[in-house]
Amino acid sequence: MAKRILSAFAIIFMFVIQALAGTGAEGYFTIHNNTEQNILIGFYTNDGSGWSSNWIDGSDVEPGQVLKAEFTADTGNCAQTLQVGWLSSDGGEVLDDPIDIDICDASNVYLDDNEIYYD
């Protein structure tokens, strides 16, 4: 019985991982909150024409969680500036330093405690 449950869990896990795979070129990517204690509450991009609205508005991403982000426009500049917001102790938002990203090449965006990077 335990082997069946473990096997079923492994199969479900593989489907989840496959569902999260993707690339910005296909219109979506996965955001990974790899921090130890920080809750992600904001994800913003800027293609040179101003900051976007919050991509994840209303979706808090707890440490260790992932979230699939999808493009809402069919066209756009691949070169973007990215900025993330973290939940502050008073319930507000603390913005991280912006970084440049090629959003069309990004399959995953990793948010670590002291680093943000993508692949």
Side-chain angles (χ1 to χ4, degrees), residues 21-43:
T23 176
E26 295 172 352
Y28 60 92
F29 55 91
T30 304
I31 301 167
H32 300 258
N33 182 353
N34 291 340
T35 66
E36 300 227 354
Q37 301 178 31
N38 299 315
I39 300 170
L40 178 70
I41 61 170
F43 190 93

Side-chain angles (χ1 to χ4, degrees), residues 27-64:
Y28 60 92
F29 55 91
T30 304
I31 301 167
H32 300 258
N33 182 353
N34 291 340
T35 66
E36 300 227 354
Q37 301 178 31
N38 299 315
I39 300 170
L40 178 70
I41 61 170
F43 190 93
Y44 310 94
T45 55
N46 186 338
D47 64 1
S49 62
W51 289 103
S52 70
S53 59
N54 186 354
W55 284 52
I56 63 167
D57 191 29
S59 298
D60 295 354
V61 183
E62 300 281 338

Side-chain angles (χ1 to χ4, degrees), residues 2-18:
K3 283 186 177 181
R4 285 187 203 158
I5 293 172
L6 192 54
S7 294
F9 178 75
I11 291 169
I12 292 169
F13 181 73
M14 288 187 327
F15 282 123
V16 169
I17 294 300
Q18 287 174 349

Side-chain angles (χ1 to χ4, degrees), residues 38-111:
N38 299 315
I39 300 170
L40 178 70
I41 61 170
F43 190 93
Y44 310 94
T45 55
N46 186 338
D47 64 1
S49 62
W51 289 103
S52 70
S53 59
N54 186 354
W55 284 52
I56 63 167
D57 191 29
S59 298
D60 295 354
V61 183
E62 300 281 338
Q65 288 185 329
V66 297
L67 179 71
K68 184 176 171 181
E70 296 186 43
F71 293 99
T72 57
D74 293 335
T75 60
N77 188 353
C78 288
Q80 300 275 330
T81 300
L82 163 72
Q83 189 169 38
V84 299
W86 305 102
L87 182 64
S88 67
S89 58
D90 66 1
E93 182 177 30
V94 175
L95 294 173
D96 215 332
D97 293 331
I99 66 160
D100 292 327
I101 183 173
D102 184 330
I103 208 162
C104 297
D105 283 342
S107 296
N108 298 285
V109 176
Y110 302 96
L111 310 174

